[in-house]
């Protein structure tokens, strides 16, 4: 469980105590005055300023908010220059290593004297260009001096992402920080065209056709109409860009849904500030305004101005006067939340931005906003007790030094709410942020927990620069109390007297964006980071445009075709001779040949492929077996068929993050499933009051030493009594040894009990104890109360003496309890009364050496681990009063140590308590898996996909889930590498990896986050070269950045396709880094789903997405690309044969409409209908997942298949054009007849080739073939400009077409049948064909 830090940490930042909301004006003449005695005493006592108090002015005491306070005569400019250097110079001795000014920084040289300071102040007032605002000289200010003088800055330097920020709660207008908007869009309106055009023309064939189209603007190179080459290119680009635009618009719409989520925000305002603005205008204008100085923020009343005016009214005798701050609850959209807003959150509500918690109250008490009388609270007495302390008497105090004159600075009466005694606790679910399943305990600062929300206007938060570190935060919160109405001290004196209360802020006071409030409380929190500066956004990589492997392969093939075209053009020109041409130059002839052969690289290829991708996306989204699946990136569906590595999150992806206790073992017998009824019977006998007894009597309470044998009055055998006693002892230990807090909620008028804890394991155990008869009804810092479910009577009441929380290093949790035998409260019982017991539970690896010697623990824990259960070993030990006193005194002593405190405290517990514990039993908790996870992982593994599980959870949890989900089979050994640090010798780290090389096929790797970071930093390639060979890898405690790094590393090293799947915001970086990102719509949010390429609702849908839709998409696109290339090649071969016969002249064989119509109307529909083809049905694809392995090798579209189709195209093109010229002739008079025969055979050949390649016929395929043939026949009468129509309707034409078609088709088809017979493909084998 996340444990709160101490409120005054040694390295906590110094807060600007005097820089509250009320910046009292201070004339700069005062800087030259000798300080009063009390000021010198105060600064002399400061540990930060021990040298030369007269020459060094602490930065906190320099208060100047506006230059209008400078009312002195003008002097010479030289004084300003000299003094400003002393004031503003960035001296190294005045800054800490982080560049933050310390209080001891020298601000003014002592030698300058009062006169120089007055002259300096005059220059400030008369030179508006300097615009010096000394109030900005604070700790955490920007370290660059020139930034303090760089123009008029209303938002000031803290708006920069690289500096700390000062947030005044309720400030209006809010500072200029990034908008709190979620954006998964790839493009902006300005970047869309440049980026999409760049992506399109990065493909070689698009650039090639752009050059071809531009060449038609040159008259010597023009062949036919310019539109013949320009229109297809524009059409292709329009289709592609339109598709990208629609995808991005869809992303923006989904982002808009998330950004419209409503939240309640408290807006603080002063209803009387408008009149005061008018009064302010009636005052004499300041020196600054007299000189025409513009103030861009003058249209808004600054909150600090209002409070300053309030103090001024109070200082002029307005006794009892007070500015009443009103609080309005507004419902605004998430995107409209700004830094400085106070957000109100309830249970199960997502945190919209990075927040600092100000106040937390249980739902029963609510957040009181009406002022109630409470005793005055002196700041020196404000304290907050740590919720889960290691000692019940240990308290956390935050100090607020009292003023020097002994006047108490009191928080006003009406600033304390009725629920001042509220603990300020809240639990968060952070699995969407860091992947950890344990809930995190968060606390409101004790300075703000007691405040009325109206007093938030006096708060200011100083926060560090935005960071991606989700487990670190350093800041300060300040509260400026009201001035006593009776105090008539001057503002200068008040600046020293009135001290602001301040307290440090740590990670325990924060709630990061995309976490979820889990506890039944109402939380008020101030926004400190928004939008792109939140922890989650900074851990997320920007989306990138993904290009499929198939597109890259086709791009490479087109380069080969281009080289072939260029070679052919040069050869044809060379055959006639470079110097033998009279009509045109040889380079013009080569260029014209290149244009003529441009059909070899078909421009329609991208159009057909993109249209095919849209069809595949349509099939996926309308598959009833995977409902609600969404294709967010429709350009890469073929990638689903090429996946070799699958990187998966654990929580919410493989598991439901719902724990359930499935099994207990008490040494001689184990209980599970139906046997739990017997456990319930033991509890009924052991924790029920005697018949006729009063539950309020002391005898009704049970202690571990109670005589269970007679309770219930049922005679049993001795063995059964012993077993029953063991079971009761174990259940009692489980019901008490935890950090669970019960709370009552109402729903539909019915009340029920819910449990809150940092670990879902503990909640599962407490729920189980309730199911079997022992209910947790009350828990606070001091006591625990248990109730019998059957009788509804209190049966156990204990006093909490000490708690030892669970830590990742200790792997155990302990508690010391004092059992009460009467109904007295825990406070009224003497320390010496009642039995004292020490209970402890933890991992078997550490508890084995703590519990007493036994012969069954190791065996039973191993059995449970093999079943995938998370095991906990439970033990206890009775302590005498003297033993506890000895331990308590020693423990308190070491808890005050300044050196090695944690180690000393752990050693004290180990020496006094953790030895020879009585072993009570072992529990097995199951982390429920998602539906059909086991068969899904097995199917994917059989498909040849290597699976990595990357989680932010603990090592033990990940190991158990890997075993229970069958990610690691029973025959595989799990090799664990943990706790490697930068100091680890390289030899030992490499030795740990070398053990994996011996048996990579039967070994799985489990590595923690620190070790993974070590390998990625020092032995990157050694690690990945071994890890990619393993069947499974489990990485624990992974940060979002590490997950993305692993995905990049695998892609870079293997050049294989990587898919990543997750459901949380912490998975977004990994999903975007993958070749294929799959997001699961989680319970807590849709961040992963919105950022993914494919969105599904359950992990088991992934199998159909890959094995079925991925297979079909890849196979269909491969076949479609081959046919389109074949269609372009065959017509180019015909052109080549004709050019050779025409004495190597670059004249066109098919012009204008014939060229365009062949690639569109006459062949497109039949070829595109191949997107409906499938070689196997879905049942066979799931039954034989090994078929998927063939796809990863890229055999469907490889260099071998490409050159086979090139050979077929050359053969058929040569036959068609050669026989046409031989049978018809090629003279000018016979040219129309020859074109009619060759073009008709060309169309028929393509249609029959498509029919021969179809494996599974679809009615649309039949319609496209017959319809296209009918369209061609019907268009022939309109082709008189290209054909001899009289010859077309003759028998001479018919028999020539039939003969040429048969010769071009029969040989290739015969070879194909022969090859299938000798070496049948795998899909024909499984079909039994």
């Amino acid at each position: 469980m996340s444990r709160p830090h101490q409120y005054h940490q040694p390295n906590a930042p110094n807060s600007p105590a005097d820089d509250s909301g009320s910046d009292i004006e201070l004339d700069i003449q005062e800087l030259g005055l000798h300080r009063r005695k009390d000021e010198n005493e105060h600064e002399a006592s400061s540990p930060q300023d021990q040298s030369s108090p007269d020459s060094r002015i602490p930065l906190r005491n320099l208060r100047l908010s506006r230059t209008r306070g400078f009312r002195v005569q003008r002097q010479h400019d030289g004084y300003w220059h000299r003094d400003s250097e002393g004031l503003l110079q960035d001296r190294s001795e005045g800054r800490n290593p982080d560049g933050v000014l310390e209080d001891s920084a020298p601000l003014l040289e002592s030698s300058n004297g009062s006169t120089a300071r007055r002259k300096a102040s005059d220059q400030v007032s008369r030179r508006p260009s300097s615009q010096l605002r000394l109030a900005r000289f604070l700790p955490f200010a920007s370290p660059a001096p020139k930034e303090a003088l760089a123009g008029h800055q209303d938002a000031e330097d803290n708006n920069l992402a690289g500096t700390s920020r000062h947030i005044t709660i309720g400030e209006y207008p809010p500072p200029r920080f990034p908008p709190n908007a979620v954006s998964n869009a790839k493009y902006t309106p300005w970047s869309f065209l440049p980026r999409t055009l760049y992506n399109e023309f990065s493909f070689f064939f698009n650039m090639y056709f752009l050059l071809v189209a531009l060449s038609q603007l040159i008259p010597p190179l023009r062949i036919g109409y310019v539109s013949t080459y320009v229109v297809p290119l524009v059409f292709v680009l329009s289709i592609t860009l339109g598709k990208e635009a629609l995808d991005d618009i869809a992303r923006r719409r989904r982002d808009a849904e998330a950004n419209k989520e409503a939240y309640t925000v408290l807006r603080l305002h002063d209803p009387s500030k408008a009149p005061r603005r008018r009064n302010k205008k009636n005052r004499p204008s300041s020196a600054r305004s007299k000189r025409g100085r513009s103030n861009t923020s003058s249209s808004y009343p600054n909150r600090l101005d209002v409070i300053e005016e309030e103090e001024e009214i109070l200082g002029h005798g307005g006794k009892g006067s007070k500015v009443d701050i009103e609080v309005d609850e507004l419902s605004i959209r998430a995107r409209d939340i700004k830094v400085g807003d106070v957000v109100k959150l309830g249970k199960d509500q997502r945190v919209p931005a990075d927040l600092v918690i100000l106040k937390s109250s249980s739902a029963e008490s609510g957040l009181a906003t009406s002022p109630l009388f409470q005793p005055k609270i002196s700041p020196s007495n404000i304290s907050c007790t740590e919720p889960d302390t290691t000692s019940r008497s240990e308290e956390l105090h935050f100090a607020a030094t009292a003023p020097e004159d002994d006047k108490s600075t009191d928080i006003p009466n009406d600033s304390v709410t009725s629920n001042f005694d509220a603990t300020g606790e809240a639990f968060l679910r952070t699995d969407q942020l860091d992947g950890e399943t344990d809930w995190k305990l968060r606390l409101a600062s004790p300075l703000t927990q007691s405040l009325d929300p109206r007093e938030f206007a006096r708060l200011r938060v100083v926060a560090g620069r935005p960071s991606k570190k989700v487990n670190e935060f350093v800041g300060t919160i300040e509260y400026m109390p009201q001035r006593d109405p009776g105090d008539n001290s001057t503002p200068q004196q008040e600046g020293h007297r009135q001290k602001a209360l301040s307290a440090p802020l740590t990670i325990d006071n924060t709630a990061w964006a995309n976490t979820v409030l889990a506890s039944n409380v109402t939380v008020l929190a101030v926004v400190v980071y928004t939008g792109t500066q939140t922890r989650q956004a900074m851990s997320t990589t920007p989306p990138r445009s993904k290009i499929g492997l198939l597109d890259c392969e086709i791009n490479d093939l087109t380069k080969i075709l281009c080289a072939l075209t260029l070679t052919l053009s040069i050869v044809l020109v060379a055959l006639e001779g470079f110097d033998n041409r009279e009509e045109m130059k040889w380079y013009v002839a080569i260029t014209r040949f290149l244009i003529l052969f441009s059909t070899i690289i078909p421009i329609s290829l991208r159009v057909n492929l993109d249209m095919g991708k849209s069809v595949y996306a349509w099939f996926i989204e309308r598959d009833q077996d995977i409902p609600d699946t969404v294709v967010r990136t429709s350009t890469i569906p073929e990638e689903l068929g090429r996946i070799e590595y699958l990187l998966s999150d654990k929580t919410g992806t493989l598991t439901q993050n719902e724990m359930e206790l499935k099994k207990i073992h008490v040494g001689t017998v184990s209980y599970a499933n139906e046997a739990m009824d017997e456990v319930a019977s033991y509890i009924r006998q052991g924790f029920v009051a005697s018949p006729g007894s009063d539950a309020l009597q002391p005898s009704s309470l049970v202690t571990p030493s109670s005589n269970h044998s007679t309770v219930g009055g049922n005679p049993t055998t001795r063995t059964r009594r012993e077993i029953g006693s063991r079971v009761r002892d174990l259940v009692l230990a489980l019901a008490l040894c935890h950090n669970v807090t019960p709370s009552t909620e109402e729903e539909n008028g019915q009340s029920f009990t819910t449990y809150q804890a940092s670990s879902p394991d503990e909640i599962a155990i407490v729920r189980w104890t309730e199911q079997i008869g022992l209910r947790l009804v009350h828990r606070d810092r001091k006591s625990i109360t248990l109730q019998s479910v059957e009788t509804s009577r209190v049966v156990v009441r204990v006093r909490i003496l000490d708690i030892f929380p669970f830590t990742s290093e200790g792997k155990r949790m302990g508690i010391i309890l004092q059992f009460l035998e009467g109904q007295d409260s825990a406070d009224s019982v003497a320390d010496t009364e009642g039995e004292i017991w020490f209970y402890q539970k933890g991992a078997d690896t550490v508890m084995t050496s703590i519990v007493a010697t036994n012969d069954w623990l190791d065996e039973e824990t191993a059995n449970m681990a093999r079943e995938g259960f998370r095991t906990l070993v439970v033990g206890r030990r009775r302590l005498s009063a003297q033993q506890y006193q000895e331990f308590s005194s020693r423990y308190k002593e070491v808890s005050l140590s300044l050196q090695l405190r944690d180690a000393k405290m752990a050693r004290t517990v180990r020496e006094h308590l953790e030895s020879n514990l009585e072993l009570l039993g072992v529990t097995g908790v199951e982390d429920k898996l998602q539906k059909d996870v086991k068969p899904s992982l097995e199917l994917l593994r059989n498909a040849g996909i290597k699976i990595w599980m990357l989680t932010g959870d603990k090592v033990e949890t990940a190991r158990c889930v890997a075993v229970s989900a069958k990610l690691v089979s029973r025959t595989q050994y799990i090799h664990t590498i943990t706790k490697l640090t930068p100091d680890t010798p390289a030899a030992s780290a490499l030795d740990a990896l070398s053990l994996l090389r011996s048996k990579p096929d039967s070994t799985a790797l489990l590595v923690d986050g620190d070790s993974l970071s070590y390998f990625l930093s020092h032995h990157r390639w050694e690690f990945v070269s071994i890890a990619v060979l393993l069947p499974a890898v489990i990485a624990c405690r992974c940060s979002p950045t590490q997950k993305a790094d692993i995905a990049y590393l695998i892609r870079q090293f293997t050049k294989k396709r990587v898919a990543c799947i997750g459901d949380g915001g912490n998975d977004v970086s990994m999903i975007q880094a993958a070749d294929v990102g799959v997001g699961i719509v989680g319970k807590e949010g849709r961040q992963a789903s919105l950022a993914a390429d494919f969105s599904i609702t359950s992990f088991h849908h992934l199998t159909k997405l890959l094995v079925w839709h991925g297979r079909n998409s890849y196979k269909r696109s491969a076949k479609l690309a081959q046919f389109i290339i074949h269609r372009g090649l065959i017509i180019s071969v015909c052109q080549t044969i004709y050019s050779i016969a025409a004495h190597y002249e670059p004249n066109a064989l098919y012009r204008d409409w014939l060229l365009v119509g062949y690639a569109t109307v006459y062949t497109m529909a039949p070829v595109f209908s191949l997107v409906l083809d499938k070689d196997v049905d879905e049942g066979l694809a799931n039954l034989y997942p090994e078929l998927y392995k063939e796809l990863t090798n890229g055999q469907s579209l490889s260099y071998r298949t490409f050159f086979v189709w090139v050979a077929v195209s050359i053969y058929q093109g040569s036959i068609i054009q050669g026989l046409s010229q031989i049978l018809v002739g090629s003279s000018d008079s016979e040219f129309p007849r020859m074109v009619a025969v060759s073009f008709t055979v060309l169309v028929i050949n393509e249609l029959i080739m498509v029919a021969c390649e179809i494996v599974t016929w679809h009615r649309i395929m039949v319609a496209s073939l017959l319809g296209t043939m009918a369209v061609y026949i019907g268009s022939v009468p309109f082709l008189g400009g290209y054909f001899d129509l009289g010859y077309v309707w003759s028998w001479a034409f018919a028999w020539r077409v039939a003969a040429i078609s048969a010769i071009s088709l029969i040989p290739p088809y015969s070879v194909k049948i022969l090859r299938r017979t000798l070496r049948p493909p795998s899909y024909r084998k499984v079909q039994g064909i």
Side-chain angles (χ1 to χ4, degrees), residues 800-1100:
I800 301 175
L801 302 182
D802 288 281
I803 297 178
F804 312 103
F806 179 91
T807 62
S808 300
E809 295 76 20
K811 300 181 182 178
R812 57 192 181 274
M813 179 264 178
I815 188 170
I816 299 179
L817 303 171
Q818 185 176 27
F819 284 81
L820 308 182
E821 299 181 358
Q823 292 292 328
D824 297 323
S825 67
D827 293 333
S828 61
V829 177
D831 292 345
T832 58
E833 297 180 12
E835 304 173 12
I836 300 177
W837 288 83
F838 169 60
Y839 288 98
Q840 190 170 57
K841 65 181 180 183
D844 59 290
T845 54
V846 296
M847 293 295 293
T848 302
S849 60
I850 295 176
V851 299
T853 305
N854 60 87
D855 57 356
W856 59 269
L857 179 59
D858 293 338
E859 180 182 357
E860 187 57 33
T861 53
N863 292 336
M864 288 189 180
R866 279 192 290 270
E867 296 180 51
F869 294 146
R870 303 167 71 163
T871 58
L872 283 176
V873 179
V874 185
R876 69 176 182 179
R877 178 183 177 184
R878 184 168 184 175
L879 304 175
S880 65
Q882 181 180 359
Q883 288 176 323
Y884 174 71
Q885 289 300 327
E886 291 176 358
F887 161 75
S888 181
S889 60
R890 175 59 180 164
Y891 192 70
K892 291 177 182 178
E893 179 183 346
V894 299
S895 66
L896 300 177
S897 301
L898 298 179
Q899 301 293 333
L900 303 175
R901 178 187 302 174
D902 293 339
K904 291 180 181 179
M905 294 169 69
R907 184 168 62 249
T908 302
V909 173
R910 190 163 55 248
E911 292 174 352
H912 288 78
L913 303 177
E914 295 179 342
S915 62
N916 203 31
L917 266 62
E918 176 188 354
L919 177 60
L920 297 179
V922 182
T923 64
V925 177
E926 179 188 39
D927 191 351
K928 290 184 179 179
L929 300 175
Q930 294 281 1
K931 180 183 178 183
D932 295 333
V933 162
K934 294 181 182 180
S936 298
L937 290 176
E938 183 178 2
L939 187 146
L940 294 175
R941 192 164 46 244
N942 292 335
I945 299 176
K946 294 180 173 63
I947 304 172
W948 291 40
M949 185 175 76
L950 311 180
T951 176
D953 225 328
K954 298 184 290 292
V955 173
E956 293 79 9
T957 304
R959 182 193 298 271
C960 294
V961 171
V963 173
S964 61
K966 306 301 180 186
L967 178 64
V968 178
S969 65
R970 293 178 178 269
T971 59
Q972 289 177 345
Y973 164 71
I974 300 179
H975 181 65
T976 305
I977 302 178
T978 58
K979 299 181 179 179
L980 295 183
T981 64
D983 298 330
T984 303
S988 60
L990 294 177
D991 288 343
L993 288 178
S994 63
L995 297 176
L996 299 170
R997 292 188 181 274
S998 57
K999 296 181 179 179
D1001 296 332
S1002 60
T1003 306
L1005 172 63
L1006 191 152
V1007 60
D1008 66 353
D1010 293 337
S1011 303
L1012 181 62
S1013 178
Y1014 174 82
F1015 283 128
L1016 294 180
S1017 301
H1018 298 85
H1019 308 289
R1020 193 178 188 90
W1021 296 112
E1022 293 86 347
F1023 170 77
V1024 71
S1025 62
I1026 298 176
V1028 295
L1029 303 176
L1030 304 178
V1033 176
I1034 304 104
C1036 314
R1037 295 294 187 188
C1038 283
S1039 66
T1041 305
Q1042 283 181 324
K1043 292 182 178 182
D1045 287 344
I1046 293 174
Y1048 279 122
L1049 188 61
I1050 296 176
R1051 288 176 50 210
Q1052 185 179 7
F1053 182 81
T1054 64
K1055 308 300 180 184
K1056 305 293 185 182
R1057 299 291 97 179
V1058 177
C1060 294
I1061 182 171
D1063 74 314
N1066 62 312
D1067 302 317
V1068 171
S1069 294
M1070 174 181 69
I1071 287 173
Q1072 293 178 340
D1075 296 298
V1076 177
V1078 182
I1080 297 179
V1081 180
K1083 296 180 180 179
E1084 314 302 345
R1086 302 171 57 191
Q1087 294 80 24
S1089 170
L1090 293 174
D1093 304 310
F1094 300 88
S1095 172
I1096 59 179
T1097 56
S1098 182
F1099 181 84
H1100 73 280

Side-chain angles (χ1 to χ4, degrees), residues 319-366:
K319 189 171 183 179
S321 300
K322 178 178 178 296
V323 176
D324 292 326
I325 300 296
E326 292 187 358
V327 179
D328 293 335
E329 289 193 5
L330 306 177
S331 179
I332 66 174
R333 299 175 300 178
R335 68 171 302 135
D336 296 329
I337 293 175
K338 296 180 174 59
V339 172
D341 281 344
V342 178
V343 181
K344 183 178 180 181
L345 298 174
K347 184 182 180 183
D348 294 330
Q349 198 167 7
R350 183 181 69 88
V351 178
D354 285 358
L355 312 176
V356 167
I357 299 175
L358 301 177
K359 192 179 188 69
S360 175
S361 177
S362 62
E364 290 84 356
S365 62

